[in-house]
Amino acid sequence: GPAWGGVRDCGDFGPIAPQSAELPGAPVWRPGDEDILTVNVWVPDGAGGGLPVFCWFHGGAHTFGSSAQPDFDGAALARAGLVVVSCNFRVGFEGFGHVPGSPDNRGLLDQVAALRWVRENIAAFGGDPGNVTVAGHSSGAGSVACLMAMGRARKLFGRAVAHSVPSAHFTVELAAAVTGRIAAAAGVAATAAGLRSAPPEALVAAADRVVAGCGDDPVAAIHAFDPVIFQPVVDGEVLPADPLRALAAGAAREVDLLVCHALEEYWFLHAVGAVREVTTEAELAEFAAALDLPADLVDGHRASLPDAPVLDRYLALFGDARFGAYGTRLAERHARAGGRAFLARFARRRGAARPWHGADVPFAFGNLDAVGADFLIGGAPDEDDRALSRRMLRSWADFAATGDPGWPAVTADATPVRSWAVPGDRLVADDTSALRTRWRDVRFDPLRPGRVAGPDGAGPSRAGRAG
């Protein structure tokens, strides 16, 4: 935005990125709100200098959301001794749509710009620019994983927290196919000039129409079940390789990594109507084909959940494919490449409240009473919940400060897992669960249009959704 002189009042959140979502307690986007690249900073009372810095990237399927959501308030983390930073960045077509002649992954480039701002300015707020942790949930966690794979983000942070990190990435071919659909829906040519001629509100509306049509005409096979049409694009430039392969090759071995997933991720996405309903064996078989899941894996889920309805088996498979198995694989590959990795699972149940997608975020932020948190966590918190929140928040603060969240790291020989639960937590010394073993040989390759195929066309791909 334009420069200013003197002191500017910065007590309110800035405008959010173009989107159609309206989230509880959060601002909405209005046409004309274009100066959206802002950062927010929380500082402990009486802070001196040299404090650990915790940079948060919001989720929202790379399509919606903002740093102003109430459960992302950084005050409690600041009281734990961190300088907390969050930011807005471009999402949807503006941030992740493929535009001929322009860089892909513009939303990721915005995040890199925010991290450069932190490096250059955070000392003035009491933060240590040499001790920066990046963190995010869902597509925000996907951004964190991508930043670990990006050379231009190297040296801007030393630790990473990824809660519910999704497995989905697009090939340039698929990103271009999505652009073609959006351009047609907007009534413009799928060229740089044609796309530039459409105002942001027209592109938001066009993307919504493409999503609405994916049930009958998916761009990639998985879009018939989960129509997330924006993902990080493995373009070979901004994002040189998908994060799993980059981390396995040691691209970020100097970065400490903390990964967490929830036990029943997709029950939330089903509850809010984000995914297709699947209730018959025939539909489940169609879903498995869309992700090219091997038959023995599907049979294994059926055997381990013999009395569960088809819907539950579908949601369990989807959660493993998108978050659970992928996050575990990411931590293990990072450790084997010489990095330090820690793994956790959110397993807290209370009554009908499930350990589902997003429920862990208010706990880790210390925001159990935030607007909208009651839906995420399944009602008003009790004292056991508050104690769990204190434990999870402390693990984040300790990890950001020292690189140790409070339990053993993953090694080449063992995968310890901290299970967050009420009334108390559990440490699994070595995860040998069916989740880990059943998915061991499943690949997570970038998605292509139509059928699911590997990056060289020779192998199957099993991949992704981001929330």
Side-chain angles (χ1 to χ4, degrees):
W4 67 90
V7 178
R8 184 174 182 177
D9 182 359
C10 293
D12 297 322
F13 288 103
I16 71 172
Q19 59 189 269
S20 58
E22 298 185 7
L23 303 176
V28 299
W29 179 72
R30 304 291 184 211
D33 290 346
E34 295 182 359
D35 190 11
I36 62 102
L37 299 182
T38 55
V39 297
N40 319 291
V41 183
W42 289 263
V43 178
D45 290 338
L51 294 174
V53 182
F54 188 88
C55 296
W56 178 256
F57 299 115
H58 69 79
H62 299 289
T63 305
F64 60 89
S66 77
S67 60
Q69 291 168 235
D71 48 331
F72 304 153
D73 186 286
L77 283 168
R79 287 194 293 270
L82 306 180
V83 173
V84 181
V85 178
S86 64
C87 68
N88 286 347
F89 45 88
R90 285 172 286 183
V91 297
F93 191 84
E94 301 275 335
F96 292 91
H98 176 75
V99 178
S102 294
D104 287 312
N105 304 302
R106 294 176 296 280
L108 296 178
L109 294 175
D110 291 345
Q111 294 166 6
V112 171
L115 290 172
R116 287 186 180 138
W117 182 93
V118 167
R119 183 182 60 185
E120 294 166 6
N121 296 281
I122 207 62
F125 296 87
D128 178 1
N131 188 7
V132 174
T133 297
V134 294
H137 171 259
S138 198
S139 61
S143 294
V144 165
C146 289
L147 290 167
M148 292 178 71
M150 292 167 58
R152 67 187 71 203
R154 201 151 292 142
K155 302 189 187 310
L156 294 177
F157 60 94
R159 300 193 177 101
V161 176
H163 273 232
S164 300
V165 57
S167 58
H169 305 87
F170 283 178
T171 58
V172 174
E173 181 186 11
L174 178 53
V178 169
T179 290
R181 297 276 185 98
I182 291 172
V188 300
T191 62
L195 294 162
R196 277 198 298 265
S197 72
E201 57 268 29
L203 294 172
V204 168
D208 286 348
R209 287 195 290 275
V210 172
V211 166
C214 275
D216 296 321
D217 188 17
V219 193
I222 195 57
H223 290 148
F225 297 88
D226 194 355
V228 178
I229 61 170
F230 299 111
Q231 302 285 5
V233 181
V234 183
D235 62 341
E237 297 179 17
V238 175
L239 184 57
D242 70 273
L244 185 60
R245 280 155 188 79
L247 267 59
R253 63 168 56 96
E254 74 283 0
V255 176
D256 299 334
L257 174 63
L258 170 58
V259 176
C260 181
H261 70 267
L263 283 183
E264 297 183 348
E265 299 268 10
Y266 261 76
W267 272 260
F268 170 83
L269 296 160
H270 174 257
V272 298
V275 294
R276 176 173 154 188
E277 185 95 355
V278 166
T279 58
T280 69
E281 294 289 350
E283 290 171 326
L284 185 64
E286 183 187 350
F287 163 74
L291 274 185
D292 204 10
L293 300 178
D296 62 337
L297 190 152
V298 179
D299 291 342
H301 269 263
R302 181 181 292 107
S304 63
L305 299 167
D307 301 320
V310 170
L311 176 63
D312 284 8
R313 284 192 277 124
Y314 161 68
L315 296 174
L317 272 168
F318 222 156
D320 289 354
R322 217 40 108 243
F323 301 113
Y326 181 76
T328 300
R329 178 90 56 89
L330 205 66
E332 289 180 331
R333 293 289 169 84
H334 185 58
R336 289 176 189 166
R340 276 164 48 87
F342 300 86
L343 194 60
R345 291 191 184 125
F346 185 75
R348 171 261 189 193
R349 296 180 188 276
R350 208 187 84 208
R354 292 183 178 274
W356 66 12
H357 193 69
D360 49 337
V361 173
F363 280 90
F365 263 94
N367 290 333
L368 296 181
D369 300 304
V371 173
D374 56 340
F375 176 70
L376 289 173
I377 71 173
D382 63 12
E383 285 310 308
D384 282 342
D385 289 334
R386 295 191 189 281
L388 174 60
S389 178
R390 289 191 292 270
R391 295 193 299 274
M392 292 180 66
L393 187 151
R394 176 44 54 192
S395 78
W396 271 14
D398 288 348
F399 180 74
T402 69
D404 182 0
W407 63 90
V410 176
T411 69
D413 302 314
T415 302
V417 183
R418 167 72 74 190
S419 179
W420 297 117
V422 293
D425 309 322
R426 186 168 69 98
L427 178 66
V428 179
D430 184 18
D431 176 25
T432 57
S433 66
L435 168 67
R436 181 167 173 244
T437 56
R438 206 178 278 147
W439 290 81
R440 180 173 288 143
D441 298 323
V442 173
R443 292 173 53 169
F444 295 97
D445 293 330
L447 290 164
R448 292 179 175 275
R451 70 183 189 88
V452 184
D456 56 3
S461 163
R462 355 266 186 183
R465 169 343 155 192

